[in-house]
Amino acid sequence: MAQKASSFSTIAILLLILISPSFASFPSVPILNSDSICNLTPHPDFCKSILPSDKSITKFDFSRICLRQSLSNAYSLLGSIKYFLRLPSTSYLSTIRALEDCKFLAELNVDFLSYTLQNINAKEDNNNLDSSMAETLHALLSAVLTNTETCLEGLGASEAASRVEKGLLPSILNGDRFHGISLAIFKHAWVHEITKPLTGRRNHGFLNLGKAKNSPLPLIMSGHDQAIYESVSGQKPAHPDVGEGVNVSQLVVVNPDGSGDFTTINEAVAAAPNNTGNGTQYFVIYVVSGVYEEYVVIPKKKQNLMMIGDGIDKTIITGNRSVADGNGMTTFNSATFAVVGSGFVAVNITFRNTAGAINHQAVAVRNGADKSTFYRCSFEGYQDTLYTHSLRQFYKECDIYGTIDFIFGNAAVVFQDCNIYPRLPLEHQFNTITAQGRRDPNQSTGISIQNCVIKAANDLASSNRTTKTYLGRPWKEFSRTIVMQSFMDDLIEPSGWAEWVGNFALDTLYYAEYRNSGPGSNTDARVNWQGYHKNLTGSDAAVFTVDNLIQGGTWLDPTGVPYNEDLD
């Protein structure tokens, strides 16, 4: 049945191509055949089996064909997942949780693929997709692959993995190939690899105000909201003339004592307007000092939401879920705080997972929100503290604590002016700061640690135990991480980086260091892997700046958060 459905989908897609004016070829665009375009993908043979051999269509035509097939597969997989969730025999809690993750991720993939097709089908002139939109769609298609991989990981760890995987695995793997091919051809057709040169345009946001301890954001709001803000925060918002101001549509207050608008964070999130992603105003939730024992999710329909606390260790959101707690948790859904809605901003908040090292994977924050920002926040956990899952993210002046792989995931993410604190792990364990999960060379993802401080947390610094600490290890085949212009204390091992398993990914990863300082930054005894780079030029390092890796210059200014666009 699946093969017949797939053949029908292919025929339908080809008919659409013939009748749709958006698939017309333009004389200035080179005509290609499936062999030449498929050789650019990670699955050339599979690609040739699904694409027409017609030599009269362009790379843009091929891109649309593949994306339509990817979308068809995403719908099919979503239906299969829902079917398994309805089966009475699906009773293991861990399997149910893994399937729920897969359903959520498959729904995101349908959204991302539909949005991509909508935008490229609207372009009668194939060359008229502006660079900002091309980068956004590139990020979305990169996330589609990450979502599929995350679903597989959760299913593989469930108690009924063999039975469920037998039913879903063919569709998941088929979709994975479709998505990989779609990403590769889209990148070849629509994304222009242009790294912006170093321009000296460095400081943005509200500039010097960002240097003062606990200085407020420059909020632009109504007189009524400003009076409330000043009352609960004890300070006036920064004057917007100093820099870019944050346009506030509405301010609400969370206070457990009942004096605010809501007593819980989840109530405030639920009250935020839906689907405001095309706007430039923020719905602001002010969370006063206190310990909030809540599991919070910022869903995909809650966009441009800003959450402000009273400060690190004052406003604390805490939970203790872990994969070892007996409740069938996956790493993905162990998060105390999870973000999906695009344009999210958090300021002056501590996010904590108290499961402890003994319970292994236990996430404090999982972030899969495009154009999301965390400013002056703290992330506290042990293994897998901060799950930078997907899409584009920025962290400024934050504190991050953990042990094993405590910054991990497959987002395009920049950490700037942050403090990174490896903690004391269990006996016989070692610390790895990062575990980046790029598994396809066409994904626009990677971890960039810029102008940060890496030093031992108090428990590790005061311990008599010898604990090895590494900058990272390769979770996936094309893992990509750079540490640049940062201070490394002497806790970093001379070799710098650790293997995952044997020789896995050592030739295909991209790890780099650039102009770091401190006793742990000496690269003389670093690993000699083919994928490790220690002699970068400024142009090499510029690929991993705010401007180039996450296109921050196009979306960070409205947040009011200061950032350095390029290299210092």
Side-chain angles (χ1 to χ4, degrees), residues 311-550:
I312 290 175
D313 291 333
K314 294 181 179 179
T315 298
I316 301 168
I317 304 172
T318 184
N320 62 359
R321 288 175 177 166
S322 72
V323 297
D325 65 8
N327 292 316
M329 290 292 169
T330 61
T331 302
F332 187 80
N333 59 40
S334 71
T336 301
F337 193 94
V339 190
V340 186
S342 63
F344 177 78
V345 182
V347 184
N348 293 336
I349 298 173
T350 289
F351 302 92
R352 184 177 289 167
N353 189 312
T354 61
I358 194 68
N359 282 304
H360 307 293
Q361 296 96 331
V363 176
V365 168
R366 186 192 80 230
N367 188 1
D370 197 27
K371 302 180 181 178
S372 53
T373 307
F374 287 79
Y375 179 45
R376 291 178 177 160
C377 290
S378 183
F379 306 87
E380 299 177 10
Y382 287 84
Q383 183 172 349
D384 291 1
T385 302
L386 178 55
Y387 195 173
T388 57
H389 182 262
S390 54
L391 298 166
R392 293 170 291 184
Q393 308 176 16
F394 180 61
Y395 297 77
K396 180 76 170 183
E397 296 179 29
C398 292
D399 298 338
I400 309 152
Y401 296 82
T403 55
I404 299 172
D405 306 336
F406 65 96
I407 300 172
F408 75 112
N410 195 25
V413 53
V414 177
F415 296 90
Q416 201 170 81
D417 302 307
C418 293
N419 297 308
I420 298 173
Y421 296 116
R423 305 176 85 166
L424 184 68
L426 296 177
E427 198 166 359
H428 307 303
Q429 287 183 338
F430 58 84
N431 289 330
T432 42
I433 293 171
T434 66
Q436 205 281 328
R438 184 170 174 255
R439 41 77 48 114
D440 186 296
N442 293 302
Q443 288 179 303
S444 58
T445 56
I447 293 173
S448 175
I449 297 173
Q450 182 185 16
N451 199 34
C452 294
V453 173
I454 302 172
K455 60 188 296 186
N458 289 337
D459 59 350
L460 180 59
S462 60
S463 171
N464 293 323
R465 219 197 300 159
T466 300
T467 300
K468 293 185 176 181
T469 297
Y470 300 91
L471 296 172
R473 58 176 181 163
W475 184 22
K476 304 295 179 182
E477 189 174 4
F478 295 94
S479 181
R480 185 161 67 161
T481 301
I482 183 171
V483 183
M484 56 185 184
Q485 301 172 311
S486 295
F487 174 86
M488 302 182 200
D489 214 342
D490 58 5
L491 77 164
I492 301 299
E493 283 294 299
S495 58
W497 307 83
E499 298 86 357
W500 187 266
V501 178
N503 293 323
F504 171 74
L506 302 188
D507 292 342
T508 52
L509 59 77
Y510 186 99
Y511 286 169
E513 298 175 58
Y514 175 74
R515 287 180 53 196
N516 296 304
S517 62
S521 67
N522 190 320
T523 59
D524 291 345
R526 289 295 197 252
V527 294
N528 60 358
W529 307 336
Q530 184 174 319
Y532 171 68
H533 307 267
K534 65 179 179 181
N535 297 313
L536 295 188
T537 65
S539 296
D540 295 330
V543 172
F544 301 95
T545 58
V546 165
D547 206 17
N548 290 314
L549 183 62
I550 61 173

Side-chain angles (χ1 to χ4, degrees), residues 267-290:
E267 289 172 333
V269 171
N274 295 333
N275 303 317
T276 58
N278 293 327
T280 58
Q281 292 187 315
Y282 287 90
F283 182 89
V284 175
I285 300 173
Y286 196 98
V287 186
V288 303
S289 293

Side-chain angles (χ1 to χ4, degrees), residues 21-33 36-37 54-64 123-129 185-186 188-190 192:
S22 66
F23 282 86
S25 298
F26 292 88
S28 61
V29 179
I31 304 300
L32 302 169
N33 59 34
S36 61
I37 195 72
D54 191 343
K55 296 183 179 180
S56 63
I57 59 178
T58 71
K59 60 186 179 182
F60 303 106
D61 301 335
F62 281 125
S63 180
R64 292 185 175 99
K123 297 297 180 183
E124 292 185 3
D125 178 357
N126 285 312
N127 294 311
N128 195 31
L129 189 65
I185 297 178
F186 175 88
H188 180 75
W190 305 94
H192 302 288

